Amino acid sequence: MTERIDRLVRTWIAAEQEQEVQEVASEIAEGKATLLDLVKSLGEYLTAEEDDLRTKGVELLSLVLAKCPPEKLNRQSVRVLTTFYSGKLEDTETIIPAIKGLATLTKLPAFTSSDALEVIKAIFAHVKMNVLVQSQRFTVFTIIDNLVARHRDALKSMGDEFLRGYINLAEGEKDPRNLLLAFAVDRVLLIEFDVEKHIEDFFNITFCYFPITFRPPPNDPYGITADDLKGALRACLHATPAFGPLAIPLFLEKLTAGSPVTKKDTLDTLDVCLPVYGPAVAREHARKLWNCLKLEIFQPTDSVTEEKALKTTQVLIQTIYSATEAERSHSQEIEGLAKDACEECMQILREPEKSQAQHAIKVLCAFMSTTPAVARFTLARAIPHLVKLFLDPDELPNRAPTLRLLSDLIEAARKSTADDPEVLPEEGDVPLSPYKDEVLGVLTVGLKTPSSALPAIDGLKSMVRTAGLLTDEELGFVVHNVNELLQRDEGESEISDAALDLLSTVSFIAPAHVSGSTLPLLFTSLPDRAPAREAEAERIKYWRTLAYLKKLCTQPDLFETLVVRLSTKLDLLCVPSASSEDQPMADSDLEPAAAYAHSILKTLADVLSAKIDMGHADVVKYIDRLIPRLYNLFIYSALLADERPMVAIDPRLLAVTAQIITLITQTLNAARQEAFVKVVFVAFLDGDVSQLAQGIQKIPADKKFAPLQPGIPVSQKNLVVLFAAALIALHKEVSLPVLDETELLNRLLKWTVTDAENPLQREAVVHMIAAILNRHADKLDAFLSTNLATFWQAQVSDSTVSAEARRHAILTFTWLTKALLVRGHPAAMAHVDRLFELFDDGDVNWDAARAVGRIPGPDKILTKSNHAVIKVLYAQKYCNAMLPRIIEGARTSQSARQNAYLVALAALIKSVPKSTYVHQMPSLMPLLLRSLDLPDNEVRASVIDTLQAAATSSGKDSTLLAEHASSIVSTMLKNSMVSQMPSVRVRVAALRYLATLPSVVRYDVLHPQKATVIRELAKVLDDPKRAVRKEAVEARTNWFKFSG
């Protein structure tokens, strides 16, 4: 085996290949040879007279050692190798391979403290860092790092000898890779070694790098950033308090004369250093530091530096005063920097309207989060001063800025208290407590003037949010004053919004005050009868009141009141009392009442939606408290609509009510949904509404409720919207209370053809079928294979059926296909194939084409919130299957069929995420441009929107746009002219796209078009529509400024 090692050694000496090193290491690892065998084989080389051979011998030994398993090196081997390598450090020819070997040895378990001392002394004696290249110096730092990590006590025993030797080695290092390691070693030495005698030397070898100005080269393979170096250096700079007297003058110099980047770095470093350097050093340099910091705060160059300077001021104050905080009594006066700085700020605050006052209050706000004593002192000086200033008759014009300063200070005081909302502060521990009466007084006075109302509201909000500050009675006082403000405020929406935000905050702490005083005030201002058509001011008033209620009433207790009061209001509005004064006499009277009822219902729907988004658990109970009442009102109105005019038969009201029913149904669990659906089915299929509809209107027993029966009045048929609303948000586990779901779906499908009289009815039933099919498709094979096929043959593919009826049937078929597609059902794609068959049918080919594109698009029915069964990436998979087929069809087809493919393309790219087709844009661009010649405004608008999205994401110098620039420009100009394009939407889209082109296409490409575009856009400036003129000005300006 020795012969094999000999051969490998000779081969490596001759060729220096990695393979031989690996083989020798493998022999040793497998026990076929030992390190001793290798040393014997290397003997002649290790002691050779020729420098080159001697170096190669040591190099090979080090390379093999690095690849050997640690267990193959026992204590004796390590001892011998350590002595050998330490000796080789004396030989200038072998020093480099020797340090490589030592880097491996120093990590080994068998390497002892005595070895460590031998190695470090040899390094100090023989290694000269200034003659080594970066990688070799890195190896030396690695050895020292290993020794410090594993044999710290042995190095400590060397005392000054080790520290002097290390300082000499580390001095003058410049490479960032080595510095990261050196800084890590420096930090350990500064913290754990006795460096008192060498503090200046350590200061010199660390602070010479501050501030770090390193910028990594492009494509740096090492990935070292300036922040890495800054963090490592900062860890050294605050490693010992002894640096304080030496470091602060340097920091002051950098703050005075440094660049903005240097100043930010210095401020960040001071934040971590000051607490370590201690109060004595901070106190000694406090005035000089404050003078530098003050400059950055009161004359800021940028907001970031200002924020950092405020943070450093906080740290400085904390460092100076934290140590004496425990000994200081409450009554003891604050002395020193905090007092001086506070007095300076108070002088500035004498003129609250000046911009410097804003900076001064920021300093005082920063003091609030330092120490309790400084916070109390700050408030004791600032609050009485600002209150006095506010009440001074001579300062009347400055009340608003004074309140703004006061509000900022109150908010800072709030933030300075404990953040745990579960733990209320002890009585007297709230810094603002001694001043709350006078502050509350000036803030409520500030509410009465529009100019000072906003800062007053902000201040009150901060007081309300301060735990343990205001009593329940005082919260009631705040609510009372804000109520008065809401009553006075007619047009200041910003003030109203802020006031409502304040009331919302109170409602989560003490809802009784808002429900007891604010809500009655708002409800009283809502009229019982709808204002007449011409009473615009009254209409605006109830809109505003409902908007207030919408913002206020998300909290459970308040929402309960809202539901009771608004549903009562709705009953009064839709079914007035029998007196002639309140009785609407003609259809024309119904419109204002319907508009008012719609606003009430929309308010309920919006608040419910907000509550669901916030995860409120109380929504569930309104399946019993609100839903039966709504069903009662609308069923009653539909049944009596043939006798007298009824407000609640308006389709717009039905649509919003359906939204409310669906929102509440969403929140129910499967069991509760199943019970609810049974009651709904009994009402709508059997005509028994007694369990579903409950309210103040008594449904007449002699009237028949059967919205799905033939020959029923349209007012009843429209109620299928409320039937669908109960079904579209069901969990898939909910079973429908029918014997045969296929028979139910077939009945509903036939109803859309034979009985549905308007889009509202048709869409509602189609949505219902789609929702059921999506949840239960696996149980509906017969419906899919037989009933749906029959429907296709009879209603869609039969050309004898009227075009309008076929279009309705295609829409129905599209929804059913979508229901299958989103759940990943295989039948979906077969249905899409049938739509392609219609591309040659001149009556409905465009409708079929649009359906192909719209199938994967987003909708509000088959959604996760409605518990639909949805497979991930269904739209992307559909697009990947359809897009190549549509592109190929558009290229190869003729005339009418080709146009249908272009329509399908326009619809598809509008329906799916941009990422699904962006890679196909080179193939799509010519087809999209051809689509712009189709006589369909909706298609044109969709295509231009797609081009716009593609252009804004492609960035500058888009080669794709450059290829088609000429035709794009001429097409967009044509589509922007009112004489050639009647659609405002298309004209606006075309102009927006023209405005984008100069930012995404090179000048040399568009330059030939510039004069034409500017000339033609001048004509568009006379467009009759203001929105078009606005876009034309924007586009023309962009082209005017466009230059090479």
Side-chain angles (χ1 to χ4, degrees):
M1 192 49 66
T2 307
E3 293 168 8
R4 175 163 168 71
I5 297 292
D6 286 344
R7 191 176 75 254
L8 290 170
V9 166
R10 285 196 300 276
T11 308
W12 188 88
I13 295 291
E16 296 187 47
Q17 294 294 315
E18 172 69 20
Q19 185 182 346
E20 284 76 36
V21 176
Q22 193 64 52
E23 288 186 32
V24 173
S26 297
E27 294 288 321
I28 294 170
E30 292 166 12
K32 296 177 183 175
T34 63
L35 265 176
L36 184 60
D37 295 331
L38 174 62
V39 173
K40 284 178 183 175
S41 298
L42 283 170
E44 60 181 293
Y45 302 108
L46 296 175
T47 56
E49 293 293 323
E50 294 89 343
D51 293 343
D52 185 45
L53 287 178
R54 202 165 64 254
T55 302
K56 284 186 176 181
V58 180
E59 176 78 15
L60 179 57
L61 181 59
S62 296
L63 290 171
V64 172
L65 192 61
K67 293 184 181 294
C68 274
E71 61 271 14
K72 294 297 178 183
L73 289 118
N74 57 25
R75 172 73 197 113
Q76 184 184 357
S77 304
V78 170
R79 181 82 201 101
V80 171
L81 287 169
T82 300
T83 305
F84 169 75
Y85 279 125
S86 297
K88 286 298 176 184
L89 290 177
E90 300 175 31
D91 184 345
T92 55
E93 300 301 325
T94 58
I95 188 168
I96 292 164
I99 59 174
K100 290 181 185 174
L102 286 170
T104 303
L105 280 177
T106 51
K107 293 179 190 170
L108 295 172
F111 187 86
T112 64
S113 294
S114 59
D115 300 332
L117 293 174
E118 182 180 349
V119 168
I120 200 68
K121 287 175 181 176
I123 286 175
F124 289 160
H126 305 297
V127 174
K128 302 288 181 282
M129 294 289 266
N130 56 353
V131 300
L132 301 179
V133 298
Q134 180 273 326
S135 59
Q136 295 154 5
R137 298 197 307 276
F138 184 80
T139 308
V140 175
F141 279 116
T142 303
I143 294 169
I144 296 171
D145 187 45
N146 291 341
L147 296 178
V148 169
R150 293 172 171 80
H151 305 284
R152 202 168 296 174
D153 292 337
L155 300 181
K156 284 182 183 178
S157 69
M158 291 175 67
D160 290 349
E161 181 188 356
F162 170 70
L163 295 172
R164 268 197 309 273
Y166 173 75
I167 289 165
N168 290 333
L169 277 177
E171 200 168 14
E173 181 57 60
K174 288 187 175 66
D175 191 278
R177 291 161 286 181
N178 297 351
L179 285 174
L180 278 179
L181 204 48
F183 290 155
V185 174
D186 293 345
R187 176 168 170 77
V188 174
L189 301 188
L190 288 164
I191 291 172
E192 300 210 18
F193 285 62
D194 182 8
V195 295
E196 190 178 347
K197 296 177 189 173
H198 303 277
I199 202 68
E200 280 200 39
D201 294 323
F202 272 102
F203 179 81
N204 291 334
I205 67 166
T206 51
F207 277 79
C208 64
Y209 300 106
F210 184 84
I212 295 287
T213 55
F214 168 72
R215 264 194 249 170
N219 305 316
D220 177 23
Y222 304 104
I224 295 173
T225 65
D227 286 340
D228 294 335
L229 285 169
K230 285 177 183 178
L233 176 60
R234 210 169 279 153
C236 295
L237 304 189
H238 75 275
T240 172
F243 273 161
L246 300 168
I248 298 292
L250 177 72
F251 291 143
L252 286 169
E253 180 191 329
K254 301 298 181 189
L255 281 176
T256 307
S259 66
V261 174
T262 299
K263 286 181 180 179
K264 292 185 183 86
D265 194 5
T266 305
L267 292 168
D268 286 339
T269 306
L270 274 167
D271 290 350
V272 294
C273 289
L274 282 172
V276 176
Y277 295 167
V281 171
R283 208 172 286 117
E284 182 186 344
H285 297 90
R287 175 49 65 181
K288 289 180 181 176
L289 282 165
W290 168 239
N291 287 339
C292 288
L293 293 168
K294 185 167 59 174
L295 198 66
E296 301 303 327
I297 295 167
F298 286 92
Q299 298 172 32
T301 52
D302 62 87
S303 59
V304 176
T305 309
E306 182 189 10
E307 286 296 321
K308 288 182 183 294
L310 285 165
K311 176 74 167 66
T312 306
T313 304
Q314 267 185 334
V315 173
L316 177 62
I317 296 294
Q318 278 172 324
T319 305
I320 294 172
Y321 293 96
S322 290
T324 56
E325 183 72 28
E327 297 93 48
R328 184 184 289 106
S329 69
H330 279 303
S331 59
Q332 216 170 334
E333 182 75 7
I334 290 280
E335 297 294 340
L337 178 62
K339 181 180 180 182
D340 297 344
C342 196
E343 294 300 339
E344 284 182 54
C345 292
M346 296 308 297
Q347 286 296 322
I348 295 167
L349 290 178
R350 289 177 187 277
E351 298 179 300
E353 75 282 6
K354 298 285 178 66
S355 61
Q356 290 297 296
Q358 296 293 326
H359 303 301
I361 204 71
K362 285 180 182 178
V363 174
L364 297 181
C365 289
F367 281 9
M368 294 307 303
S369 294
T370 52
T371 73
V374 172
R376 284 194 297 271
F377 175 80
T378 304
L379 287 175
R381 293 301 174 93
I383 295 280
H385 170 76
L386 291 170
V387 169
K388 184 181 175 186
L389 208 59
F390 181 86
L391 298 173
D392 186 346
D394 296 337
E395 294 290 335
L396 208 59
N398 296 327
R399 280 190 161 185
T402 303
L403 279 191
R404 173 51 60 206
L405 300 175
L406 184 59
S407 296
D408 290 346
L409 196 59
I410 296 167
E411 177 62 8
R414 183 192 70 78
K415 287 180 177 175
S416 70
T417 55
D419 287 333
D420 189 349
E422 300 299 319
V423 181
L424 284 175
E426 296 284 329
E427 187 66 40
D429 274 3
V430 182
L432 211 54
S433 285
Y435 317 100
K436 70 173 178 180
D437 292 341
E438 50 203 279
V439 170
L440 208 51
V442 298
L443 290 176
T444 48
V445 171
L447 283 177
K448 296 177 177 22
T449 311
S451 62
S452 60
L454 276 175
I457 290 168
D458 289 343
L460 286 169
K461 186 177 176 184
S462 296
M463 290 186 80
V464 167
R465 292 175 65 202
T466 304
L469 179 61
L470 298 181
T471 63
D472 190 63
E473 188 180 344
E474 286 161 344
L475 285 170
F477 176 69
V478 169
V479 171
H480 172 74
N481 280 278
V482 177
N483 289 346
E484 289 185 352
L485 171 68
L486 281 177
Q487 283 178 291
R488 285 195 313 272
D489 177 45
E490 288 299 321
E492 296 293 329
S493 60
E494 193 179 1
I495 293 175
S496 301
D497 288 347
L500 289 168
D501 192 36
L502 171 55
L503 290 172
S504 292
T505 306
V506 175
S507 73
F508 282 96
I509 300 164
H513 291 298
V514 178
S515 64
S517 62
T518 309
L519 294 193
L521 199 71
L522 294 174
F523 288 131
T524 304
S525 70
L526 283 177
D528 289 340
R529 291 186 61 203
R533 286 175 182 269
E534 60 276 5
E536 190 175 348
E538 289 180 46
R539 194 154 39 251
I540 290 171
K541 186 180 177 185
Y542 80 63
W543 284 342
R544 187 183 298 121
T545 302
L546 289 171
Y548 291 171
L549 289 167
K550 183 166 74 175
K551 288 182 183 176
L552 269 184
C553 294
T554 52
Q555 201 267 349
D557 291 349
L558 304 187
F559 182 66
E560 187 166 357
T561 306
L562 180 78
V563 168
V564 172
R565 297 297 294 268
L566 288 191
S567 50
T568 303
K569 207 66 104 172
L570 195 65
D571 285 333
L572 286 171
L573 196 60
C574 294
V575 188
S577 62
S579 72
S580 59
E581 183 186 8
D582 290 340
Q583 186 74 30
M585 297 306 294
D587 288 353
S588 59
D589 298 327
L590 295 183
E591 182 58 31
Y596 186 16
H598 184 272
S599 297
I600 289 173
L601 288 165
K602 195 77 179 73
T603 301
L604 286 171
D606 289 345
V607 180
L608 272 169
S609 184
K611 285 174 68 64
I612 290 169
D613 290 342
M614 288 187 257
H616 286 189
D618 63 307
V619 175
V620 174
K621 69 183 183 184
Y622 293 99
I623 193 70
D624 298 318
R625 299 192 184 186
L626 176 61
I627 298 300
R629 197 162 175 174
L630 291 175
Y631 272 115
N632 192 79
L633 172 63
F634 285 94
I635 292 172
Y636 175 84
S637 299
L639 290 174
L640 270 71
D642 54 345
E643 296 179 6
R644 57 189 169 108
M646 300 297 287
V647 174
I649 62 170
D650 191 297
R652 292 165 296 183
L653 304 191
L654 289 169
V656 187
T657 306
Q659 186 186 351
I660 292 170
I661 294 167
T662 301
L663 284 168
I664 294 173
T665 312
Q666 281 177 7
T667 63
L668 305 179
N669 60 33
R672 188 69 188 82
Q673 280 186 349
E674 195 155 323
F676 174 58
V677 167
K678 280 181 184 172
V679 174
V680 172
F681 267 71
V682 168
F684 279 86
L685 297 184
D686 301 341
D688 179 5
V689 299
S690 58
Q691 296 176 64
L692 177 64
Q694 295 160 19
I696 58 172
Q697 301 87 12
K698 191 170 189 301
I699 294 177
D702 59 330
K703 299 280 186 181
K704 178 186 176 187
F705 179 65
L708 293 172
Q709 293 294 329
I712 289 294
V714 69
S715 56
Q716 272 201 55
K717 284 187 181 179
N718 283 345
L719 293 187
V720 294
V721 174
L722 306 187
F723 186 19
L727 300 186
I728 60 177
L730 297 182
H731 292 277
K732 64 178 180 180
E733 299 82 15
V734 175
S735 299
L736 299 182
V738 291
L739 294 174
D740 186 350
E741 283 188 19
T742 297
E743 186 184 332
L744 171 70
L745 292 189
N746 199 37
R747 178 183 171 186
L748 293 173
L749 195 58
K750 285 180 180 174
W751 193 89
T752 64
V753 177
T754 57
D755 295 293
E757 294 184 35
N758 55 44
L760 179 81
Q761 298 169 13
R762 196 175 297 108
E763 282 179 21
V765 175
V766 169
H767 291 165
M768 198 175 356
I769 300 170
I772 297 168
L773 191 58
N774 173 261
R775 273 57 158 201
H776 304 153
D778 46 355
K779 301 188 293 186
L780 296 167
D781 289 340
F783 176 77
L784 291 173
S785 59
T786 308
N787 301 91
L788 210 48
T790 305
F791 176 79
W792 175 267
Q793 292 294 336
Q795 302 300 326
V796 182
S797 62
D798 186 353
S799 57
T800 61
V801 177
S802 73
E804 187 181 3
R806 294 176 74 193
R807 289 190 191 101
H808 294 326
I810 288 172
L811 185 63
T812 302
F813 194 77
T814 304
W815 268 102
L816 304 191
T817 304
K818 184 183 183 68
L820 297 171
L821 179 75
V822 298
R823 67 168 283 148
H825 196 283
M829 298 311 282
H831 288 180
V832 178
D833 290 339
R834 286 181 167 174
L835 290 169
F836 277 105
E837 295 169 9
L838 299 177
F839 278 22
D840 286 319
D841 189 320
D843 291 334
V844 293
N845 54 352
W846 280 29
D847 300 278
R850 284 195 191 93
V852 168
R854 288 172 179 169
I855 283 170
D859 65 271
K860 295 181 180 179
I861 307 301
L862 300 167
T863 62
K864 281 187 178 178
S865 56
N866 281 341
H867 313 297
V869 181
I870 300 175
K871 285 286 174 71
V872 293
L873 301 177
Y874 73 87
Q876 286 84 339
K877 290 172 185 171
Y878 181 85
C879 187
N880 291 340
M882 288 296 123
L883 202 53
R885 181 174 177 180
I886 291 172
I887 291 172
E888 183 60 27
R891 281 178 178 159
T892 57
S893 304
Q894 297 298 315
S895 61
R897 188 172 180 84
Q898 184 183 59
N899 287 347
Y901 275 109
L902 292 175
V903 171
L905 177 63
L908 180 62
I909 56 180
K910 189 182 176 185
S911 299
V912 294
K914 186 168 62 181
S915 57
T916 57
Y917 63 78
V918 71
H919 62 286
Q920 294 266 32
M921 279 309 289
S923 307
L924 291 174
M925 184 62 84
L927 301 176
L928 291 173
L929 293 176
R930 271 162 53 194
S931 302
L932 292 173
D933 292 327
L934 292 173
D936 186 294
N937 296 336
E938 186 185 345
V939 169
R940 290 193 188 191
S942 297
V943 170
I944 297 173
D945 289 344
T946 301
L947 293 173
Q948 175 83 6
T952 49
S953 65
S954 65
K956 190 72 175 168
D957 299 339
S958 169
T959 51
L960 181 61
L961 290 177
E963 285 176 32
H964 301 277
S966 176
S967 56
I968 286 174
V969 169
S970 60
T971 305
M972 293 304 154
L973 284 173
K974 188 171 67 175
N975 279 289
S976 65
M977 301 288 172
V978 68
S979 56
Q980 300 186 48
M981 172 46 63
S983 167
V984 174
R985 186 186 164 203
V986 175
R987 299 205 301 276
V988 167
L991 288 165
R992 279 185 186 155
Y993 190 57
L994 278 172
T996 304
L997 285 177
S999 63
V1000 294
V1001 181
R1002 297 193 318 272
Y1003 180 74
D1004 60 297
V1005 175
L1006 284 183
H1007 173 65
Q1009 318 289 329
K1010 183 174 178 180
T1012 307
V1013 171
I1014 292 171
R1015 185 178 66 249
E1016 293 299 308
L1017 286 179
K1019 301 174 186 175
V1020 187
L1021 297 176
D1022 294 326
D1023 194 282
K1025 294 293 182 181
R1026 183 172 175 274
V1028 178
R1029 296 196 300 273
K1030 179 173 172 287
E1031 296 298 337
V1033 170
E1034 180 78 19
R1036 199 159 183 261
T1037 304
N1038 288 1
W1039 279 81
F1040 257 126
K1041 292 178 180 177
F1042 192 32
S1043 58

